Amino acid sequence: MGAFVLLAGSRGTAQTLPPTATATKDHGPSIELVVVPGRRLRGAALGDIAPLFVLDPADIQSFGAGSIPDLLDALKAQTEANGAKPVILLNGRRVSGRGVIKDLPTEAIERLEILPEREALRYGYGAGQRVVNIVLREHFRALTSDFEGEGATQGGAGASKDDLNFTLLENELRYSLDLKYEHDDPILASERHVLVAPVSPFDIVGNITAPPQAADPEIDARLSALAGVPVTLAGVPKAQNGQALMLADFVGLANAANAGDLSPYLSLRPSTEKMSANAVISGSLFGSVTGSLNAALDDTRRRSDQGLATGALLIPPSDPFSPFAAPVELYRYLAEAGPLASTQESIHGHLGLSLDGVLSDWVWSMTAGVDHDVADTSTQTGIDVSHIRSLLDGGGPALDPFTPFPAGLLTGRMTDRARSISDTASVSLVANGDIAELPAGRVSATVRLGGDVARTASRFSANGTTDAGALSRNEGDAGLTLDVPLTSKENGVLPMIGSLSSNLDLDVRRISDFGTLKNATIGLAWAPIERIGFVASLATSEDAPQMAILENPTVITPNVTAFDFLQGRTVEVTEVAGGNRNVVATRNHVSSATLTVIPFAQSALNLIATYSHSNVSNPIESLPVPTAAIEAAFPDRFVRNGAGQLVTIDTRSVNFAGQRTDQLRWGLSYFAPLSSLIGGNPAATPVSANGPGKDHEVVQFSIFHTWVFTDRMLIRQGLPAVDLLNGGSAQVAGGQPAHQVEFHALVSGRGMGEELDVKWQSATWTNNGSAIGNLFYSSLATADLRLFANVDAIGAFGQAPWAHGMRITLTVDNIFDARQRVHNGLGETPEAFQAGYIDPVGRLVRLDLRKAF
């Protein structure tokens, strides 16, 4: 594999690359890494700790990834420590945001370095994240087009994405422009055979009862005589040949309500349309100072159907189409008006600036950004039927209430509107340098200074009333990180202990609406021998809620399907969402210990185990699930009618009292040339001269098991704790699975590759407390498969001009169309847990065609 390197815990070693050939279009001759003591590679990260992994262009192309996010996803077993996303550097420098790198084609990468967690401290980040340093080629130019289409095997769920990217690299100058268009088709409940039952007594055709204010619930004594029993409810029969209904027509549906299917009018997935543009320019400014400017604009629009409007209409006995001798109440869904719609449009604009350089012996970087966000939501909640009521009362031409109404009478849609506007400006300065020399090595210090200014305003209007609010926040931040070597085998300082170092991170933030928040982390890194590493940390932090949690506008959505845990049944509710200014800051206490073992010399096999303990005070949660415990703690958030039926859920965020979790994540990962599996050396396999992906065989696999020992949530003081591992629940998907397994494997060679991802989680249950017994959630295993081919690396295609830079990828998500199964104590699946609700997409097939010119 030529350039694959695995180094663990070594110091004092630098690497260099020979110059590369340049061309107008450079998709990349492979590069041999050469170890040269005392000389630093171009674009290398700070510090003298060697990378855990180094990937050259051939390695990178073997993953079949067209973008850097896709590449990082394929490398997550190596880049994500304890589930934390890595810190991303570009040419050894901080970036103003991921927008700077997310659209770069992978062919532009000269090498990719993965460094251990402690290196994040030098760049002003916490010690719990690994560092990925992406080094770009000096000369590169490409126009890349990428078309992706997908669809579910059950039908529907069609989606497409078009991406056009231009990237130019010329020494220190870099220009990049990326344009995207994405479209997702909606999925209706009817397309997934999901039964959506009407809310009694409403129905599309209609049901009738006596008026709610009537003393006698009997509809009509004459109808009761015809039916032979007292009739308090009757379905409306369908009119035949335009003839008015007779009293006898209602006998067949006496005391039997109509209950039609509403699935054609409810979206399980909204339709989505997104357009985005992202531009980056960077280069050398003066002296050692370099800078980059990033501008991005996104426009996203979503639309979903939220069921049908309802109409409760009083029909007087004088109505010429009524066969009843007394007033009756008609309950109907107004299907002839079409579904109620909910639409959202969000616009995001970003402008980011980064500068970095060297001052004396200190390396510094400055990042700044300005973000502008606008979100508009329009939710139709019903239809004004006052004109229909007037006609039924004799205020105009006669109207048959038992037949569909003319469309012209149903134009008055009642609509709630919400808008939020937020503006944020931030700046951060980070400087790193050595401040002292100890016998065991140099003491490194990282100083951070930063500030943010944020403003948000929201407005909500409904039923002729308007509620508006605004919130501003100013934040100042100062931090200091020290990395202190204590012992060193290389320097002969207590060599019997091995290499031991400590780090201390202190951070103070002053937030205008929350006061002063303090964070502190202390950590130890110990390598008793060359191939064993141990890292431990203890962190305490305070986090203020995001401004959106405090100030988002109120949005009221009707006809939302929910499960009523107290009554054990599926209901349609009105959902209230938005901000809550009463939410307070969260306090976190987290301790973790990670052991890494490389069992064999010159091996790319890693064994990793991480134990973590978390104790959180005042965690911020939303309230989507009306379990008995949550409803008892927040009774004002759940509204029930006189019959005890749940009708409204307020999901706005609240603080729970606390949560404690303990878990172990352990497993192994391997990444090396295929030849090393049959006796080769992963650090010394020669590079193919044919270029990336040609005759280059790589195998990668990883398997990790997460075992949750404790997960207890205290909703409010004075109430018993909810054990999420043993019948407790705070979410629709049930409690916390005690076991989760992730398996990833990739094999590629001769221009083709296969990648398999498998995930499994154990079963859970919820102590329901209703007459139907507990809810049981099955275990779930899903598998995703990706097949790709670099066409210009396959046999005779390699010489064809049209095949140059072309990649074809076929992906199948959820190969076995697996969904979690839920049943109650009676063995029945509640409507809210139908397969289409849990996962409306299911098996998804995606075809991607990518071409670099």
mmCIF file of all heavy atoms in Angstrom, residues 96 391 507 719 722 813:
data_model
loop_
_atom_site.group_PDB
_atom_site.id
_atom_site.type_symbol
_atom_site.label_atom_id
_atom_site.label_comp_id
_atom_site.label_asym_id
_atom_site.label_seq_id
_atom_site.Cartn_x
_atom_site.Cartn_y
_atom_site.Cartn_z
ATOM 1 N N SER A 96 -12.344 27.961 9.473
ATOM 2 C CA SER A 96 -13.427 28.753 10.056
ATOM 3 C C SER A 96 -14.724 27.965 10.182
ATOM 4 O O SER A 96 -15.647 28.390 10.862
ATOM 5 C CB SER A 96 -13.667 30.017 9.224
ATOM 6 O OG SER A 96 -14.050 29.690 7.903
ATOM 7 N N LEU A 391 -75.567 28.909 5.474
ATOM 8 C CA LEU A 391 -76.449 28.309 4.477
ATOM 9 C C LEU A 391 -77.352 27.250 5.116
ATOM 10 O O LEU A 391 -78.530 27.129 4.769
ATOM 11 C CB LEU A 391 -75.621 27.694 3.348
ATOM 12 C CG LEU A 391 -74.818 28.674 2.466
ATOM 13 C CD1 LEU A 391 -73.990 27.911 1.446
ATOM 14 C CD2 LEU A 391 -75.749 29.659 1.761
ATOM 15 N N ASP A 507 -11.460 26.825 31.147
ATOM 16 C CA ASP A 507 -12.201 27.703 30.253
ATOM 17 C C ASP A 507 -13.252 28.463 31.065
ATOM 18 O O ASP A 507 -13.935 27.883 31.917
ATOM 19 C CB ASP A 507 -12.891 26.881 29.159
ATOM 20 C CG ASP A 507 -13.569 27.766 28.126
ATOM 21 O OD1 ASP A 507 -12.896 28.173 27.177
ATOM 22 O OD2 ASP A 507 -14.776 28.026 28.285
ATOM 23 N N LEU A 719 -39.645 12.783 42.709
ATOM 24 C CA LEU A 719 -40.220 11.656 41.977
ATOM 25 C C LEU A 719 -39.184 10.545 41.865
ATOM 26 O O LEU A 719 -37.974 10.799 41.883
ATOM 27 C CB LEU A 719 -40.661 12.088 40.575
ATOM 28 C CG LEU A 719 -41.789 13.120 40.488
ATOM 29 C CD1 LEU A 719 -42.035 13.495 39.033
ATOM 30 C CD2 LEU A 719 -43.065 12.587 41.123
ATOM 31 N N VAL A 722 -36.298 7.292 36.737
ATOM 32 C CA VAL A 722 -36.749 6.440 35.636
ATOM 33 C C VAL A 722 -35.549 5.646 35.128
ATOM 34 O O VAL A 722 -34.556 6.219 34.676
ATOM 35 C CB VAL A 722 -37.353 7.286 34.496
ATOM 36 C CG1 VAL A 722 -37.747 6.395 33.328
ATOM 37 C CG2 VAL A 722 -38.551 8.073 34.999
ATOM 38 N N ASP A 813 -29.343 0.707 1.158
ATOM 39 C CA ASP A 813 -29.509 0.911 2.593
ATOM 40 C C ASP A 813 -30.601 -0.009 3.120
ATOM 41 O O ASP A 813 -31.639 -0.182 2.476
ATOM 42 C CB ASP A 813 -29.890 2.366 2.893
ATOM 43 C CG ASP A 813 -28.765 3.337 2.582
ATOM 44 O OD1 ASP A 813 -27.600 2.902 2.548
ATOM 45 O OD2 ASP A 813 -29.057 4.531 2.361
#
